[in-house]
Structure formats: structure tokens, C-alpha cells
Amino acid sequence: MQGHLDMEGALTARDRVGIQDFVLLDETTEAAFISNLKKRFSKDLIYTYIGTLLVSVNPYKELDIFNKKQMDIYMGVNFFELPPHIYALADNAYQTMLTEVTNHFILISGESGAGKTEASKKILQYYAVSCPSTTLLDTVRDKMLMSNPVLEAFGNAKTLKNDNSSRFGKYMDIQFDSQGEAVGGHILNYLLEKSRVVHQNHGERNFHIFYQLVQGGSDDLLQQLGLERDCQQYNYLTQGECAIVSSINDKNDWKSVKNALQVIDFDDIDTSHLFGIVASVVHLGNVQFETDSKGYALLNNNTELLWVSNLLGVDAQSLQEELTFRKIEAKKEQVLSPFTIDHAIYARDALAKAIYGQTFTWLVNRINESMENKDSSPKSVIGLLDIYGFEVFYVNSFEQFCINYCNEKLQQLFIQLTLKAEQDEYEAEGIEWEPVQFFNNKIICDLVEERHRGIISILDEECLRPGDATDITFLEELEEKMGNHPHFVTHKLADKMTRKTLERGDFRLLHYAGEVTYCVVGFLDKNNDLLYRNIKDLMCQSKNSIVKARFSSMDLDNKKRPETVATQFKSSLLKLTEMLTAKEAWYIRCLKSNESKQPGQFDEALIRHQVKYLGLMEHLRVRRAGFAYRRKYEVFLKRYKPLCPATWPHWRGGPADGVQVLVQHLGYLPDEYKLGRTKIFIRHPRTLYATEDAYERCKHELATRLQAKYKGYKAKGQYRKQREAATKIETVWRGMQARKEREKRTWAVKVIKKFIKGYMTRGQAKTTDNSEYLAFVRQSYLNRLKDNLPKTVLDKTTWLTPPAVLTETSEILRTLHCRLLVRKYVRGITPQKKAQLQLKVATSSVFRGKKDSYPQSVPHPFVDTRISDQEMNARVLQMIHNEHIKYSVPIIKYDRNGFKPRPRQLALTQMAAYVIEEAKIKRRVLFTSLKGISVSNLTDSIIVFHVTCEDPKQKGDLVMQCDYLFEFLAKLSVIANKQNAIHVVQGSIKIEIQAGKESAVDFSNGEEPMVYKAKNGHLMVVATRARTR
Ligand SMILES: Nc1ncnc2c1ncn2[C@@H]1O[C@H](COP(=O)(O)OP(=O)(O)O)[C@@H](O)[C@H]1O
Ligand SMILES: [Mg+2]
């Protein structure tokens, strides 16, 4: 049994009004049960559960709980999480079907007017809206939905119990494919109450369609059908004397039916034939017979009959004959035996019922064709069983007998599937328990249906028995056979008290739902459902396709005697029961709130009666008696484990042990619960309530704890994440650095290797090995050179030593650089300096490499003069003022005889050199007479002027010492143009002291510079050695 009560969910959503699930009621008394129903009903809460069973109370008013929004709320939601609703049940069945791939049926029961048909429509609508669908399937869905108004028009009627009472049983399969899409449907119909066509009790109507046609049909249509827009004119429509009732809008319903017919693919011919039949029945009702003198029925020129024959497409004459004569075939001769009026009326009514009944069957078949799914892929079904409810009228006939028998069967099925199944579960779980006593109505079922002994068998026997079988003989037979059955009573069998309530022609059955007294009148006829053979034959020739088709198929199995109505019904119910037992059951128990169809009225007595006979209390008791609550260990533990430290947050052992620990911790008393094989069973709801309340409280604490834990966890996670990220970044960074470093090193190694190789092969010709090294060497040398160039021309030492490859280049560069410096230098010299330098050059050409003191003199620049004019004696200047003094220098003059040194000034003019002592010009040597100038090669600074000396009075050669020897001689050679006259002499210079008298100046090197007169009379000059640089 599926759909165990999810009590926890129900508790969570505990209703403010009463209790949503009777299982949770503290008391299982009928009073508590009804009080809960009433409480809820007063707040328009018409649904209440008993576990998965839905109890529904008819509100007799429109409630705003059947809309798309509500459907959406219930779609796919756990059964007990929301307030009880028919949508919840429908959805639960649907979901179970989808997940378990099983077939289901929803058994909707309750007495007439309790709301079964409405319930089945709600379910169908729910599936139509909530199931997934494609456009193709939309049409199937529409057809399923639209089959309803059509079938209701033809199969429902106003009764005393219900303005829209189903007068046929209906079982509808909705087929779903594996995706859960509704792909097809099939309807099985059970026993239409045909007698209604010809007779209605007071306050009741014929089937809706008749009134709809007359009220709603267009003028044209009515004209075609020969009808007037006035129900009162037609016998069949007015027997209950309530053709028009305010609660029914036939005009509107007509439109719905017309529209529905289109949706289910009825074409024009179908519809015109269909309405032709409906109209023909109406006309038939007005066919009246007259009596002839012998009391036989007469039918002459009856316009109504013409309409019937016209509409059914049969010959009017034949029809008239069939309705007034009985044809007896005797020895190939036909004998016509006229009907009495009663017979004729019987034949007429039989025809009307037959036509209507057959048409209804055709209609169902036709709808089935239209909803059929021809795809052979596997499907799951949900069946909806909406069958006429238990019915008790003032007068009850064969129809009520069948209807109530049917309800008896369904109750039996319910008992089998629920009460028994429930108790079987305890057995399976190994739970010890006292079986709950419930009334098993099998005894009544047997009373009705048992082979050879049941009421149906006896009825059939009477129908088949030759001789004068009547309803009364049937009753007598019953009395004889059922004599002392506890559920059967008749006037004859009853005690005094009961007898008063029974007519002689009645029998009474004590149904599970109450006593019903049946009047036997008509039982045999209705069970036989005979139609005179000739009328049947005539109908087979009908031009109306529906009539022709139906009657022809009836005719096929006409060979042998057809089964009686009751037997057919019995076997169809048997088939139905078999079919349903193979499916999983869901139950809706509909209760009628009051007899007067009034909203807001809760007739307690009426309700109590229904609660009783529907066995709701038993159902509840078994559910609880039992144990109000049972749950698989896993599920129970999962929900309540926070209530016990040992099971929270995780229980490591088996779930059964966990539950044991848990309930002990919760302090369950031993008789409050039982542990089965797979489930825990809790006896009283209050035990569970306490647990649930504890759970509620605990949930809050848990929530806080969880929140804190979660926050901590989240922060920790965040921290860990950040730390991980940091480490990761670090690692990556380090890796990158290391890789860079490695790259750098490999590069360095390569470069260094190359460098070394280059270094080792630097001397060789340029190869790939050394080209880079050489380039580097070149570059680095040039760079270094750039920064270390000699600053002056004279700097010969700073030039960097070039590497081998650059030797040549270096030399070129050096030259270039030198030239550059020279050029710079040259550009920088003044004319004066130039003149000086020219002097130096001249000096150089004379002395370089010849006189030892020359190199030392080079850096000393020459000056214009060594003695300025101011330092000269004015007289002397006066004396030689004709000649411009160009250069003056102090000298030491050596006397010719004793070589005494005398300091003097020497001045050069353009003509002569003057030796001056203070104011005296001591000697004037004309340049013209100066034939030579000699100096030694040593470092001394002795100069000898060789002067032409022709007579002895004349002074001879002039020997002098001058510190500025080179400057002086340079000036002299320029002024006097005497450079060629200067000689550098080694060893000794001959001098003429006077004409003819010679001496010499001898030179030598010594430690100390000295000048003295030697013993040989020569002037001895000792020079120090030139300092070498
Ligand atoms: N859920 C409901 N809401 C409102 N009215 C309802 C509901 N169920 C039944 N009724 C009213 O009760 C009437 C009888 O219901 P119906 O389903 O035909 O009864 P049943 O099929 O059990 O004989 C409906 O015509 C409608 O007026
Ligand atoms: Mg109904």
C-alpha cells in the first residue's frame, strides 16, 4: 500500500481549523470525527484526510480553490505539505505513477449528490492543466475534457437527490506516456438507467439532452425535427412535472454540448442522426393509441408516428404495425395478433428505451474512438471511477437495486484494499495487535450475486422459467430461498414491527449503507429488457446510421437468448473489480452535507449516517488502533535525529537501532510504540505531537547553531581560500622567479661559455665561436677608449693598449685622434704663439739631437725679450735709437785674455748685436761681420760669436754664457738671418782672440758645472750630463 501518511508534513502545516488528518485526532470517537468535519466545513474546508484517503464534503457552492493558481501550488508538492485538496491526491497519484511506472485508479464513492462527478471532473481538469503536453496531445486532452458535457447531457438527469445525477456508471482510463503526457483515454460505461426515458418520478427529469434540444435548438433545427419549443407538450419530458428548473440552464448547456460535439470530431451527419434519434424519442412519447370496440389498440394517421418513422428512416406503415400487432410465426405463416393498449404502450416505451440506450452506447464508443491512442508504446493509466452512488428513494425499483448492488461491490473492494491491507501490514511487520472489527459487507454481496442462490440468479430463473412468471412469483421465490438471511426481509418474513413498514410487494435489503425497500414491480421486465423481435428487425433497416449500426450489432448475438440485464451488470462489475485490483487504489469519499442542496448546511445526522456506512470510522480505527503513525526507520530517524545527542548529527549504526536509542532518549513508554521489521509504529498521536513540538523547538536552536557553524565554516573557508590563493600566488611567483633565474643562468652560462670560447679563439680568424666575443671586445675597447683618450698631443702614454683584433684600427684611430688634437691645437694658436713656435721649429732644426741641453729647453716658451726697454740704460737706448732693439738678454761675457766673466746685457737690433754694460756700449757686432756662431754639444750655455777680425786692434771672437741660449740664438737667427751660421761643436771651439791670435774653449762633462781658465790658456767648460728623462 503506497502513500503512507506523511504525518510530519501534516504537523508542520497544522491547520488552524480542526485537524487536517483524522489520524491525528486525539480521540477516535464518531463525535470527535464529526465535530472535526463540521469545524472545517464551517470554514469552507471541505477536504480532510484519513491518511491518504480524501474525505470530501459537498459544499453546494462554488469555492475559490479550483483554479490554475491552486493547481500550480499543488503540482509536484509532497502530499502532506499543503492543506488537504483533491489536487494533492491527483498529483500524488500522478507522481507515483510516473516514478513507479504503475497503474492507478481513483475510486470516488459516496451517495448520489455527494459530489463524485464534480470530483472526477476536478481531477480531469487538474491533469489537463498540469501534465506536460504537445499541441498534438492538446487535442486528445480537449477530447477527454469535452467528452464530459456530452456524456452528462445524455447520461445525467435531475433526480430528487441531485440536479445533475449520473444515471450511468463511468470508468475512465487516462493514459499517460513515459513522459507523463496524457496521450489517450478510454471510457467504460455501466448500466444506463433507461427507464428514465419513458418514466420519471415526481420532481425528477428525463435526461438533460431532451430539454437542452427543445430549449436550445435553433428554430431551423426544431422545425426539421418537427418539435416545438415547449417541453410541456411532450409526455416523456413532463412526467416528473418539473421540465424547467431554475438550477439548470438548458440553453447554455446546449451550446456547450454542441461545441463539445465538434471537439470530439462529430460531423454533420453524425449530429443530425443523433438529434434525429433524440427527437424521435420525444415524438414516440406522444404517440397515443386509441381503442377499438374490442379494446385493441389502434393507431391511425398519427402525425407523431410519421415524425418518428421519418426521423428514424423507417417505413411508417411497418412501424405502425409493429407497435399495434404482435406477429406470430406459425408454420411459415404470419399471424397478426393485435395488442391491447397496455401492450402497445409497452412496445412503444420499449422501443424508446432501446433506441436511447443503444444510442448512448454508440456515443461512448464514438468518443472512445476519438480519444483512442493508436500508438503501441507502453503507457501507464490512472482510472477514474465515478459511478452512481448509493440511492434510496421513496419507491425503489430494479435500477436502485442494481445501483446499490454496485456500491456494495465497491465497498467490498475498498474493504479488501484498505482495511485488510492495513492489517496485513502489521502482520508483515511482525507487530502484535488486536484485529479491528469492521463490518465486512461480503455477506450482502453474496446475497445478491451468489451463483444459483443469489437474488440475481433467482430473478434470472424467474425470467427464463416457462409458465406464468411474474414479479410476485419472483418475490415468493426470494422469500422461499432467502428465508432467514439476516440482511433480507419481506412483509411475510418480517416481525410485527417491521411488517408495518413493508408493502406486500416489497422486499428489503439491509445494505451496508442502510436499509432499502425495493418494490418488485417491473423487476422481470426490466431484467429481461425485451424488445419485440419484429421491431428490432425493422430498426435494422433504418436509414439512420446510428440506429441501423446498433440494432444490427445487437441482432448478431440474437441467436441465443441474450443475458439478462442483471447478469450482464454483474459480470461487468466483476470485470471492473478484477481490473481495479490490478491497479493501485486511491480513495475519495464524498459526503453529502444536507439533503436540500443548500450551501453552509451541515446536517449532522445525515453526515453521521454516511460516515458510518462508508466505514470511515473503521478505516480510521484500523489506521490508528493500531498505530496512528508508522514510518520507515530511516525516515523517522532522519527527521528526529536532532533530538538526541547520540543520533545527531550522524548515527553510525543501523537505522532500527538508531530509532531505538532515539525513542528511549525521548522517553517513549513501552506501550506507546512498537518496533516492526522495517518501521516504527507509534500508538497515539499525542506522542508524536510531543516529539514534533520538540523538533520544532529544536529546529530553531539547530538553525541558530547551524547558522553559527555555517558562518564560521564560511569564514574559515574564505580564510583558507585566501591563504591558498596567497600560497599559490607565492608559489607561482617563486616559480616564475626561479624560472627567470634559471633562464638567466642558462643564458649566462651560454654567454660565458661563448665568451670563454671566444676568448680562447680570439686570435683566430672570425668564426661563429669568437665573432661575438670579438665584437664585445671591440665594443668594450672602443667604449673604454672613448673615455680614456689622451687630452693633449704631447700625451703619448695614455693610449689604451688595443686587443689583437684592433691593433690596426687602434693605430688608425690613434693617428686620427692625434691629428684631431693637433688640428684643435693648431686652430687654437695665436699668431704670436705661431711666431714663437716657428722660432722653436727653427731652433729645433738647428739643435735637436745635437746639443744635450736642447730637450730640456723645449718646454720653456720663448719670450719677446728678457730685458725690457725700461730696464735698459736710457743712454744706451739713446745711442742706438736709430736701430730698433728687437731682443735683449742678460749674458756673461768672458774676457779674451783672462776669460774673466763679466755680466753684460746684449741687445739685438736689425743690424747688430750690442754688448752693453750699464750706460756703455762695450761692443757692437754688426751682423755682416758675424761669420759664425758656435756652441758645444753639451749642456753648457756657452756661445761663441765668430767675428771677422782683420786687424789686431779689433776685438776678436766674443765668448759668452747665456742662460737663454736657445731663445737668444733663435732670435738672432731670425733677426740676422743666421741660422745656417750656427754650429754645434764637439770637444772644443777654436776662437780668435785677435787677428792672428788663437785660443779655444774646451768642453767636457763633469760633476759640477764649471768655467775656468785652464793651464793651457784655454777656457775650460765643464758641463753636467744632461738629465735623461
Ligand atoms: N466541490 C464542489 N463544489 C461546489 N459544488 C459541488 C461540489 N461538488 C458537488 N457540488 C454540487 O453538488 C452537486 C452534485 O454533485 P455531483 O458530483 O453531481 O454528485 P454525484 O456525482 O456524487 O451524484 C453538483 O451539481 C454541485 O452543485
Ligand atoms: Mg454523479
Side-chain angles (χ1 to χ4, degrees):
M1 197 167 122
Q2 40 74 30
H4 268 132
L5 55 163
D6 187 345
M7 193 179 287
E8 309 89 339
L11 291 169
T12 317
R14 235 182 280 168
D15 224 297
R16 300 275 161 266
V17 186
I19 270 169
Q20 293 184 1
D21 191 332
F22 284 112
V23 175
L24 303 178
L25 269 182
D26 248 348
E27 277 181 272
T28 47
T29 60
E30 201 175 77
F33 190 101
I34 293 188
S35 143
N36 189 45
L37 265 189
K38 189 174 179 179
K39 240 189 256 172
R40 292 176 66 75
F41 183 78
S42 70
K43 291 284 184 293
D44 287 342
L45 298 170
I46 59 168
Y47 296 123
T48 312
Y49 295 134
I50 306 176
T52 52
L53 180 146
L54 180 75
V55 179
S56 157
V57 186
N58 189 345
Y60 284 117
K61 67 176 176 191
E62 295 305 320
L63 299 178
D64 192 26
I65 55 167
F66 304 106
N67 45 43
K68 172 81 171 63
K69 211 174 127 202
Q70 285 282 322
M71 293 183 186
D72 289 342
I73 290 173
Y74 281 89
M75 225 174 276
V77 175
N78 202 335
F79 197 45
F80 288 94
E81 275 172 28
L82 292 167
H85 200 296
I86 193 163
Y87 293 159
L89 184 129
D91 191 71
N92 199 11
Y94 175 73
Q95 301 297 346
T96 317
M97 173 201 74
L98 271 187
T99 46
E100 294 175 5
V101 198
T102 40
N103 294 324
H104 297 251
F105 76 93
I106 301 174
L107 172 60
I108 308 168
S109 47
E111 65 186 65
S112 180
K116 300 180 295 295
T117 304
E118 291 299 320
S120 84
K121 283 195 266 191
K122 304 251 139 77
I123 292 172
L124 201 60
Q125 277 159 5
Y126 180 77
Y127 290 144
V129 172
S130 68
C131 298
S133 186
T134 58
T135 31
L136 184 77
L137 296 175
D138 274 348
T139 60
V140 174
R141 210 158 64 172
D142 289 345
K143 283 173 186 170
M144 268 187 261
L145 284 175
M146 285 310 168
S147 68
N148 248 333
V150 176
L151 286 181
E152 284 194 8
F154 282 84
N156 288 23
K158 175 189 161 23
T159 66
L160 288 172
K161 307 276 177 192
N162 181 354
D163 288 348
N164 182 34
S165 181
S166 320
R167 308 316 296 167
F168 67 107
K170 179 179 161 196
Y171 173 79
M172 179 174 185
D173 261 342
I174 310 165
Q175 299 156 355
F176 297 90
D177 67 6
S178 55
Q179 312 299 305
E181 296 177 14
V183 292
H186 187 84
I187 293 170
L188 287 175
N189 61 313
Y190 296 94
L191 195 59
L192 178 75
E193 186 197 44
K194 284 185 295 187
S195 60
R196 183 167 298 273
V197 175
V198 298
H199 177 259
Q200 305 97 42
N201 289 331
H202 189 83
E204 300 198 347
R205 299 208 308 176
N206 207 328
F207 295 100
H208 296 319
I209 188 67
F210 293 111
Y211 306 94
Q212 290 170 0
L213 175 62
V214 173
Q215 296 286 317
S218 67
D219 292 340
D220 277 356
L221 180 62
L222 291 191
Q223 204 184 346
Q224 272 172 39
L225 300 175
L227 294 178
E228 282 179 43
R229 198 181 300 286
D230 180 7
C231 296
Q232 302 304 333
Q233 301 211 4
Y234 301 105
N235 292 327
Y236 280 172
L237 308 191
T238 51
Q239 309 202 353
E241 293 177 16
C242 62
I244 307 294
V245 277
S246 60
S247 61
I248 301 171
N249 188 333
D250 292 314
K251 246 185 206 168
N252 276 356
D253 292 348
W254 168 256
K255 281 183 202 144
S256 312
V257 170
K258 287 274 286 183
N259 173 46
L261 285 174
Q262 263 176 4
V263 175
I264 52 179
D265 299 338
F266 276 58
D267 59 22
D268 288 347
I269 298 177
D270 284 337
T271 9
S272 85
H273 283 176
L274 186 63
F275 294 132
I277 294 171
V278 176
S280 74
V281 172
V282 178
H283 284 295
L284 255 181
N286 279 10
V287 170
Q288 302 289 346
F289 302 93
E290 290 157 29
T291 25
D292 65 5
S293 51
K294 290 175 192 156
Y296 292 123
L298 274 181
L299 197 54
N300 286 322
N301 278 333
N302 191 309
T303 44
E304 298 289 359
L305 184 87
L306 289 177
W307 273 113
V308 175
S309 70
N310 181 13
L311 291 167
L312 294 181
V314 294
D315 177 47
Q317 184 61 38
S318 310
L319 183 61
Q320 180 190 333
E321 277 175 19
E322 304 303 347
L323 288 179
T324 46
F325 292 95
R326 183 158 187 196
K327 284 183 184 160
I328 301 161
E329 299 200 20
K331 293 177 190 169
K332 291 179 191 169
E333 248 183 279
Q334 261 194 356
V335 183
L336 290 180
S337 131
F339 279 155
T340 61
I341 283 255
D342 286 349
H343 262 126
I345 291 175
Y346 180 88
R348 178 197 71 186
D349 288 353
L351 177 61
K353 287 193 282 184
I355 297 172
Y356 193 82
Q358 291 301 328
T359 304
F360 189 76
T361 310
W362 175 85
L363 200 57
V364 173
N365 293 345
R366 187 70 180 66
I367 288 171
N368 279 337
E369 265 170 45
S370 139
M371 294 191 302
E372 188 185 341
N373 182 287
K374 295 182 180 77
D375 190 351
S376 64
S377 61
K379 292 171 201 76
S380 302
V381 308
I382 293 180
L384 279 178
L385 185 64
D386 166 28
I387 226 161
Y388 17 55
F390 188 77
E391 231 169 40
V392 194
F393 290 113
Y394 180 68
V395 177
N396 302 292
S397 182
F398 180 73
E399 287 81 9
Q400 277 69 47
F401 173 75
C402 289
I403 286 172
N404 293 339
Y405 160 55
C406 168
N407 279 276
E408 207 72 66
K409 284 295 281 182
L410 293 178
Q411 172 71 5
Q412 176 61 192
L413 181 71
F414 173 76
I415 287 171
Q416 293 258 328
L417 294 181
T418 59
L419 302 182
K420 236 177 128 282
E422 174 85 8
Q423 309 206 35
D424 288 349
E425 181 174 20
Y426 293 132
E427 217 161 280
E429 282 288 328
I431 297 288
E432 256 179 64
W433 91 304
E434 285 272 307
V436 166
Q437 290 311 310
F438 57 87
F439 172 67
N440 192 339
N441 70 337
K442 184 162 187 305
I443 183 167
I444 309 173
C445 292
D446 289 345
L447 171 68
V448 177
E449 68 182 7
E450 221 178 354
R451 287 179 116 220
H452 310 305
R453 301 207 330 235
I455 298 175
I456 292 176
S457 288
I458 294 167
L459 178 60
D460 282 358
E461 261 172 43
E462 281 302 297
C463 288
L464 301 179
R465 181 168 69 86
D468 283 341
T470 62
D471 295 328
I472 294 302
T473 60
F474 162 60
L475 183 63
E476 285 164 4
E477 197 68 18
L478 280 184
E479 282 170 334
E480 198 185 314
K481 297 248 167 87
M482 306 293 166
N484 42 18
H485 195 286
H487 290 267
F488 180 84
V489 72
T490 63
H491 187 270
K492 187 173 144 195
L493 298 171
D495 57 33
K496 245 188 182 165
M497 277 291 289
T498 322
R499 188 169 287 168
K500 281 182 189 155
T501 62
L502 281 165
E503 298 286 326
R504 283 186 192 280
D506 290 347
F507 69 93
R508 178 174 293 166
L509 293 184
L510 302 174
H511 283 289
Y512 79 103
E515 298 178 348
V516 183
T517 307
Y518 300 96
C519 170
V520 289
V521 176
F523 263 63
L524 259 57
D525 273 346
K526 285 174 179 169
N527 190 36
N528 270 327
D529 194 26
L530 281 182
L531 183 64
Y532 293 119
R533 194 184 163 85
N534 302 329
I535 291 193
K536 227 182 262 176
D537 288 345
L538 180 65
M539 289 303 137
C540 288
Q541 292 152 25
S542 165
K543 292 195 178 63
N544 181 309
S545 59
I546 300 172
V547 175
K548 187 180 161 80
R550 282 309 308 165
F551 280 83
S552 305
S553 78
M554 256 171 88
D555 211 35
L556 285 180
D557 36 43
N558 221 8
K559 305 288 174 274
K560 90 176 184 256
R561 198 186 159 87
E563 279 190 319
T564 63
V565 173
T567 301
Q568 271 180 44
F569 189 56
K570 181 176 123 183
S571 44
S572 67
L573 283 184
L574 195 75
K575 250 192 247 159
L576 175 69
T577 328
E578 275 168 12
M579 190 175 68
L580 295 185
T581 8
K583 297 186 168 120
E584 290 189 28
W586 300 80
Y587 305 99
I588 300 174
R589 296 300 228 180
C590 297
L591 304 181
K592 230 174 143 163
S593 51
N594 61 77
E595 287 285 11
S596 41
K597 306 169 197 165
Q598 290 302 307
Q601 278 188 27
F602 189 87
D603 183 337
E604 270 195 48
L606 183 69
I607 293 274
R608 183 171 298 116
H609 179 66
Q610 294 171 85
V611 167
K612 198 174 258 167
Y613 78 70
L614 285 173
L616 295 186
M617 291 311 295
E618 281 100 330
H619 185 75
L620 173 58
R621 260 184 230 120
V622 172
R623 275 254 137 168
R624 287 176 41 121
F627 296 86
Y629 174 90
R630 82 283 323 263
R631 214 24 153 196
K632 282 233 186 289
Y633 287 130
E634 293 83 352
V635 181
F636 186 84
L637 187 63
K638 193 173 161 211
R639 185 170 180 89
Y640 296 118
K641 67 181 182 178
L643 295 175
C644 170
T647 52
W648 176 256
H650 299 294
W651 173 253
R652 302 282 170 209
D657 300 333
V659 169
Q660 175 101 50
V661 170
L662 178 60
V663 296
Q664 263 161 21
H665 177 80
L666 291 173
Y668 281 19
L669 297 174
D671 66 335
E672 284 182 337
Y673 72 98
K674 279 262 159 36
L675 298 176
R677 292 203 176 90
T678 64
K679 293 174 182 171
I680 177 173
F681 291 77
I682 295 175
R683 197 175 296 280
H684 308 296
R686 62 170 177 273
T687 313
L688 190 75
Y689 271 141
T691 309
E692 179 65 20
D693 287 345
Y695 174 67
E696 277 297 320
R697 282 193 301 277
C698 171
K699 232 167 42 179
H700 285 290
E701 281 165 36
L702 268 181
T704 327
R705 252 164 50 203
L706 281 177
Q707 218 173 35
K709 261 254 161 68
Y710 177 71
K711 276 183 188 158
Y713 166 79
K714 219 172 134 181
K716 213 158 119 186
Q718 198 105 29
Y719 165 73
R720 198 181 303 130
K721 229 159 107 184
Q722 279 173 359
R723 204 181 53 190
E724 269 168 24
T727 318
K728 200 157 199 170
I729 292 173
E730 218 171 64
T731 317
V732 171
W733 175 251
R734 283 210 189 120
M736 203 181 75
Q737 291 285 82
R739 273 194 299 280
K740 254 188 177 169
E741 181 68 26
R742 198 187 57 201
E743 262 167 40
K744 222 160 111 185
R745 282 182 188 197
T746 27
W747 175 81
V749 166
K750 229 164 73 187
V751 170
I752 292 170
K753 257 190 192 162
K754 208 155 187 183
F755 206 83
I756 293 171
K757 220 167 185 179
Y759 174 76
M760 292 191 317
T761 57
R762 69 192 181 281
Q764 300 166 10
K766 186 173 155 185
T767 63
T768 45
D769 280 344
N770 64 7
S771 66
E772 267 179 58
Y773 174 78
L774 292 181
F776 167 76
V777 165
R778 269 196 300 271
Q779 194 183 6
S780 98
Y781 173 72
L782 290 175
N783 276 333
R784 273 186 297 125
L785 188 60
K786 185 184 80 186
D787 298 329
N788 291 294
L789 285 171
K791 301 280 188 296
T792 68
V793 196
L794 297 178
D795 181 357
K796 307 285 184 204
T797 52
T798 18
W799 193 262
L800 292 177
T801 316
V805 271
L806 281 176
T807 326
E808 203 182 332
T809 318
S810 165
E811 261 332 294
I812 295 168
L813 283 174
R814 193 172 181 163
T815 318
L816 281 174
H817 182 65
C818 191
R819 273 194 208 156
L820 182 74
L821 284 180
V822 169
R823 216 157 93 186
K824 263 193 198 160
Y825 181 75
V826 168
R827 289 218 175 128
I829 18 188
T830 58
Q832 267 172 323
K833 187 100 190 252
K834 190 173 173 183
Q836 257 199 32
L837 285 175
Q838 272 168 349
L839 272 185
K840 282 262 178 188
V841 172
T843 312
S844 157
S845 69
V846 177
F847 295 107
R848 194 158 71 131
K850 290 182 184 158
K851 185 162 174 60
D852 288 349
S853 57
Y854 175 73
Q856 275 161 314
S857 77
V858 174
H860 303 292
F862 295 165
V863 299
D864 287 347
T865 183
R866 293 287 165 184
I867 304 164
S868 67
D869 282 0
Q870 288 77 31
E871 288 169 288
M872 299 271 274
N873 193 292
R875 265 190 68 197
V876 171
L877 289 176
Q878 183 66 41
M879 275 189 280
I880 53 175
H881 76 274
N882 290 344
E883 295 167 49
H884 182 63
I885 294 174
K886 302 234 170 172
Y887 177 76
S888 309
V889 69
I891 57 165
I892 288 165
K893 189 206 90 162
Y894 294 93
D895 290 348
R896 272 160 304 178
N897 292 321
F899 292 118
K900 275 221 161 92
R902 314 268 183 208
R904 295 288 185 266
Q905 289 177 324
L906 191 130
L908 294 177
T909 69
Q910 72 266 36
M911 291 177 65
Y914 294 89
V915 179
I916 300 158
E917 185 195 7
E918 303 291 329
K920 284 183 269 180
I921 294 175
K922 286 289 211 174
R923 189 169 175 184
R924 182 178 184 236
V925 180
L926 281 170
F927 292 147
T928 46
S929 61
L930 183 62
K931 59 179 185 216
I933 300 140
S934 295
V935 295
S936 82
N937 64 331
L938 299 178
T939 60
D940 63 286
S941 48
I942 298 296
I943 304 167
V944 177
F945 273 18
H946 297 286
V947 185
T948 315
C949 181
E950 279 150 9
D951 80 79
K953 279 184 200 162
Q954 271 184 320
K955 290 178 183 176
D957 291 346
L958 182 61
V959 177
M960 56 192 154
Q961 186 261 327
C962 178
D963 286 345
Y964 306 103
L965 180 139
F966 296 105
E967 182 180 270
F968 169 50
L969 291 180
K971 298 273 185 187
L972 178 68
S973 60
V974 171
I975 295 166
N977 196 23
K978 287 292 183 200
Q979 56 263 50
N980 296 327
I982 298 168
H983 303 286
V984 181
V985 180
Q986 291 189 7
S988 175
I989 302 170
K990 274 192 183 127
I991 51 172
E992 248 180 331
I993 299 168
Q994 62 190 101
K997 192 181 175 189
E998 283 192 349
S999 189
V1001 184
D1002 295 334
F1003 299 93
S1004 67
N1005 279 320
E1007 290 301 311
E1008 293 282 327
M1010 278 184 294
V1011 180
Y1012 63 90
K1013 188 175 176 185
K1015 285 180 182 129
N1016 62 3
H1018 289 181
L1019 182 63
M1020 192 66 208
V1021 176
V1022 180
T1024 52
R1025 278 184 204 284
R1027 275 177 286 139
T1028 50
R1029 276 195 267 176

